[in-house]
Amino acid sequence: MRRCHSISSEKVLLISILILPLCGSMSAGQFGKPTCYKTPGISGVVVVGDFNNDHILDLAVTNVDQNSVSIFLGKGDGTFHKGGTFGIGSGSFPYRIAVADFNHDGNLDLVTVNLTSANLSVLLGKGDGSFRPAKNFTAGQGPSGVVVGDFNEDGKLDLAVSNQSTTTITVLLGKGNGTFGAPHAYTTELGPVSLTEGDFNNDGHLDLISVSATTGDASLLLGNGDGTFQSPKNFGNTYIDPVWVTAGDLNGDKKLDLVVVDFMSTVSVFLGDGNGKFGKPKDYTAGKASDYLLAAVLDDFNGEGVPDLAVSDTGDQNGVGAALSLLLGKGNGTFRPVKQYRDGRFPGFLATGKFTSGSLPDVAITGAGGVCVLLNTGTGAAQR
């Protein structure tokens, strides 16, 4: 049964950045013990990409209180060495981050959304693991999420930003040279904290879905294919405190489904019908009843060819019981009971990638003073 409890989006953001490192070790199993790397100040979100074009995956981490992004260059054996740290701008508080090639030069670039300066910053990659100075673009008040997609189908990547201090999502159309046009705002529920993109009605156009921790609702904005979106369709206060949303085909029917992370220990799965509608949620416990969840990522962690779900469980209000939660998918849209890997720290945001020559994806997860890498020790079906 869902608890009748509500928190503000500001509290969600506060808890999600105060990720205090403690002592402990990851239990053996699907993942090995973590190897951690320090960042300056409080780390926020981590993304994965090959930033120096050596065909080895690297990491980029936002340093929210230091107004910067730190790069960790992969060695190919699951370890990393410190690259550069690149400034965003004084008082910006870079919160979320995304990676893509915005200027079509073959090098990966970064974009951060900056919570306190109401803008976003684009750092164009040089292809050697370093980045050019940040260029800022107007977003909205309290930008807290960002996704990348070609919303007007011109072959140039665009941005959509959720603004948790307002009732809007802003869309910025890319020019293909690393710059973006003026933002266009679309009304959603109050306080959208996270969003995802995908073609939810199978019309060939990208759509957007956002979730609000303030109202407990989700909003679907169907794309027109020209960079504009239709009026939002709200799900109707389906959740208690949704803080994260992601999409994927969980049952193999070629229709996108939704995973919504509720701050209060629950993950909800909505199977899509391919027409922009979703079935009733099926809830999964990803932590104890007193635990707070933060984010999730989909990947095939045991090599069975179906999506599994990794969730960051920050433990209770004192951080007791913090863990990485793993729910293995059955391929029919359902998941097996959670298996937790306890590390004795507040987990933060997650990213996945193959950091070694192994065939199974590994996990990178942020903490207050850095980022930790957990190598996948699974052997495929045997892990079920």
Side-chain angles (χ1 to χ4, degrees), residues 10-48:
E10 288 80 4
K11 184 176 180 182
V12 171
L13 294 175
L14 178 63
I15 293 176
S16 69
I17 61 172
L18 295 179
I19 306 168
L20 305 176
L22 304 174
C23 297
S25 60
M26 188 69 66
S27 61
Q30 183 78 33
F31 296 100
K33 294 181 179 181
T35 300
C36 300
Y37 303 89
K38 291 184 178 180
T39 58
I42 299 174
S43 55
V45 176
V46 57
V47 292
V48 174

Side-chain angles (χ1 to χ4, degrees), residues 25-206:
S25 60
M26 188 69 66
S27 61
Q30 183 78 33
F31 296 100
K33 294 181 179 181
T35 300
C36 300
Y37 303 89
K38 291 184 178 180
T39 58
I42 299 174
S43 55
V45 176
V46 57
V47 292
V48 174
D50 179 9
F51 301 121
N52 58 352
N53 292 325
D54 63 353
H55 307 291
I56 298 172
L57 289 179
D58 312 308
L59 306 175
V61 183
T62 57
N63 306 307
V64 294
D65 62 333
Q66 299 296 311
N67 307 308
S68 64
V69 175
S70 290
I71 303 297
F72 295 87
L73 299 175
K75 298 180 182 180
D77 59 358
T79 64
F80 296 79
H81 64 90
K82 182 70 180 294
T85 294
F86 303 90
I88 301 299
S90 178
S92 57
F93 207 87
Y95 186 55
R96 300 280 171 86
I97 186 172
V99 56
D101 180 6
F102 295 116
N103 60 350
H104 297 281
D105 66 351
N107 302 323
L108 288 180
D109 312 310
L110 297 172
V111 58
T112 66
V113 290
N114 307 318
L115 192 64
T116 58
S117 56
N119 63 7
L120 58 87
S121 298
V122 175
L123 295 86
L124 297 179
K126 297 181 180 180
D128 59 359
S130 66
F131 294 83
R132 292 181 171 84
K135 294 182 179 179
N136 296 332
F137 300 87
T138 300
Q141 292 299 314
S144 58
V146 60
V147 293
V148 179
D150 184 5
F151 301 124
N152 60 350
E153 300 168 11
D154 64 352
K156 303 168 185 177
L157 291 177
D158 313 308
L159 300 173
V161 179
S162 58
N163 303 301
Q164 65 97 16
S165 296
T166 69
T167 59
T168 64
I169 289 174
T170 50
V171 175
L172 295 86
L173 298 180
K175 299 181 180 180
N177 60 359
T179 65
F180 295 84
H184 186 86
Y186 294 87
T187 300
T188 64
E189 287 292 297
L190 176 64
V193 294
S194 177
L195 76 167
T196 189
E197 55 83 22
D199 182 6
F200 298 109
N201 60 349
N202 287 335
D203 65 351
H205 308 316
L206 288 179

Side-chain angles (χ1 to χ4, degrees), residues 83-371:
T85 294
F86 303 90
I88 301 299
S90 178
S92 57
F93 207 87
Y95 186 55
R96 300 280 171 86
I97 186 172
V99 56
D101 180 6
F102 295 116
N103 60 350
H104 297 281
D105 66 351
N107 302 323
L108 288 180
D109 312 310
L110 297 172
V111 58
T112 66
V113 290
N114 307 318
L115 192 64
T116 58
S117 56
N119 63 7
L120 58 87
S121 298
V122 175
L123 295 86
L124 297 179
K126 297 181 180 180
D128 59 359
S130 66
F131 294 83
R132 292 181 171 84
K135 294 182 179 179
N136 296 332
F137 300 87
T138 300
Q141 292 299 314
S144 58
V146 60
V147 293
V148 179
D150 184 5
F151 301 124
N152 60 350
E153 300 168 11
D154 64 352
K156 303 168 185 177
L157 291 177
D158 313 308
L159 300 173
V161 179
S162 58
N163 303 301
Q164 65 97 16
S165 296
T166 69
T167 59
T168 64
I169 289 174
T170 50
V171 175
L172 295 86
L173 298 180
K175 299 181 180 180
N177 60 359
T179 65
F180 295 84
H184 186 86
Y186 294 87
T187 300
T188 64
E189 287 292 297
L190 176 64
V193 294
S194 177
L195 76 167
T196 189
E197 55 83 22
D199 182 6
F200 298 109
N201 60 349
N202 287 335
D203 65 351
H205 308 316
L206 288 179
D207 313 309
L208 297 170
I209 290 180
S210 67
V211 293
S212 165
T214 303
T215 65
D217 208 347
S219 299
L220 167 66
L221 289 82
L222 294 176
N224 296 317
D226 59 0
T228 66
F229 292 83
Q230 298 174 27
S231 298
K233 299 178 181 180
N234 295 331
F235 283 39
N237 296 96
T238 305
Y239 324 101
I240 298 174
D241 299 311
V243 294
W244 190 268
V245 60
T246 190
D249 182 5
L250 305 180
N251 58 354
D253 64 354
K254 302 186 186 305
K255 301 170 185 177
L256 286 179
D257 311 305
L258 283 184
V259 175
V260 176
V261 177
D262 191 314
F263 193 56
M264 306 302 293
S265 77
T266 302
V267 174
S268 299
V269 173
F270 295 77
L271 297 182
D273 68 357
N275 295 311
K277 298 180 181 179
F278 297 87
K280 293 182 179 180
K282 181 173 178 57
D283 295 343
Y284 295 87
T285 298
K288 295 180 180 179
S290 60
D291 287 0
Y292 298 141
L293 306 182
L294 183 59
V297 64
L298 290 166
D299 211 328
D300 180 11
F301 293 108
N302 61 354
E304 288 244 318
V306 299
D308 307 310
L309 184 63
V311 183
S312 57
D313 175 1
T314 67
D316 64 18
Q317 61 183 355
N318 297 313
V320 176
L324 171 66
S325 297
L326 181 65
L327 294 88
L328 295 176
K330 297 180 181 180
N332 61 357
T334 66
F335 293 85
R336 283 177 162 76
V338 64
K339 180 177 182 180
Q340 289 198 310
Y341 300 86
R342 300 195 182 279
D343 173 43
R345 69 179 62 229
F346 287 106
F349 292 94
L350 305 163
T352 67
K354 295 179 181 178
F355 304 137
T356 71
S357 58
S359 60
L360 298 178
D362 310 303
V363 172
I365 184 167
T366 55
V371 59

